[in-house]
Amino acid sequence: ETTPMLSASYRPTDSSQVYAYAAKAFKAGGFNLTAPAGEEFFDPESSWTYEVGYKRSLSERGLNLKLAAFSVDWQDMQLSLFDPVAGGYVENAGESTSTGVEVELDADLGHHWGMFLGLGIARTEFQEFTDAFGQDVAGNSLANAPEQTWSVGMSYDREFSEGGLFARANYVGVQD
């Protein structure tokens, strides 16, 4: 499978960058060792991902802002499902989409310390999928894809002559 990727960036100033990205991804199809009758095989999955963004250094002391908007369009998305009799298996979900925005802010606090904040907002949706029970779930959100995510944390990074030390602590929140 050919999986093209195209990216471009432009630096309007020394402290800012605008970029765009498009790429195709592919996952091979296969067969299920255990699956309900008629679900022994599943098709390949493909997707196109698009992203545009902006990065800016807000100060010479290391305060940075990153903004991004993205869209993912899946064809024949592979889902891991479970049947109480047959067990776990993979099934194709037809078409699905995910769109959203992300904002990140990070700062160099000096003396090897750093701090970061992030916020993400996403909307996911099955465009076309009938589940194993015959129910059309088009319009429903994808599983394990929260509408909002946020993070805050600190890091410590120090190099020594024979190696280095890196530590990071962060708090991540999700909300559906």
Side-chain angles (χ1 to χ4, degrees), residues 129-148:
F129 179 49
T130 301
D131 68 16
F133 302 104
Q135 185 175 2
D136 182 2
V137 297
N140 290 358
S141 297
L142 302 178
N144 301 315
E147 291 180 9
Q148 295 178 7

Side-chain angles (χ1 to χ4, degrees), residues 1-164:
E1 180 74 17
T2 301
T3 55
M5 186 216 28
L6 177 66
S7 65
S9 66
Y10 173 68
R11 289 190 168 276
T13 67
D14 287 343
S15 61
S16 65
Q17 177 184 9
V18 178
Y19 69 91
Y21 170 89
K24 182 179 181 184
F26 173 80
K27 233 193 234 186
F31 62 92
N32 292 298
L33 294 175
T34 60
E39 300 296 334
E40 293 86 3
F41 298 92
F42 56 94
D43 294 330
E45 171 187 314
S46 64
S47 66
W48 275 95
T49 300
Y50 307 94
E51 182 174 328
V52 294
Y54 177 73
K55 299 177 182 180
R56 176 156 180 117
S57 176
L58 300 172
S59 77
E60 294 196 19
R61 294 190 40 93
L63 182 62
N64 301 298
L65 173 68
K66 300 173 190 169
L67 304 168
F70 65 88
S71 177
V72 183
D73 182 21
W74 284 278
Q75 300 293 318
D76 291 321
M77 175 184 255
Q78 295 173 2
L79 295 179
S80 296
L81 301 176
F82 182 78
D83 180 84
V85 175
Y89 66 101
V90 175
E91 182 180 343
N92 293 99
E95 297 180 23
S96 305
T97 59
S98 176
T99 56
V101 294
E102 297 174 338
V103 178
E104 296 178 26
L105 188 64
D106 65 72
D108 180 357
L109 302 176
H111 302 288
H112 311 285
W113 288 95
M115 183 178 147
F116 52 91
L117 303 164
L119 172 66
I121 299 171
R123 180 169 187 250
T124 64
E125 184 176 345
F126 286 109
Q127 301 295 316
E128 172 188 312
F129 179 49
T130 301
D131 68 16
F133 302 104
Q135 185 175 2
D136 182 2
V137 297
N140 290 358
S141 297
L142 302 178
N144 301 315
E147 291 180 9
Q148 295 178 7
T149 58
W150 61 92
S151 63
V152 60
M154 295 192 71
S155 63
Y156 182 83
D157 188 3
R158 183 156 185 187
E159 293 185 24
F160 301 103
S161 60
E162 297 295 321

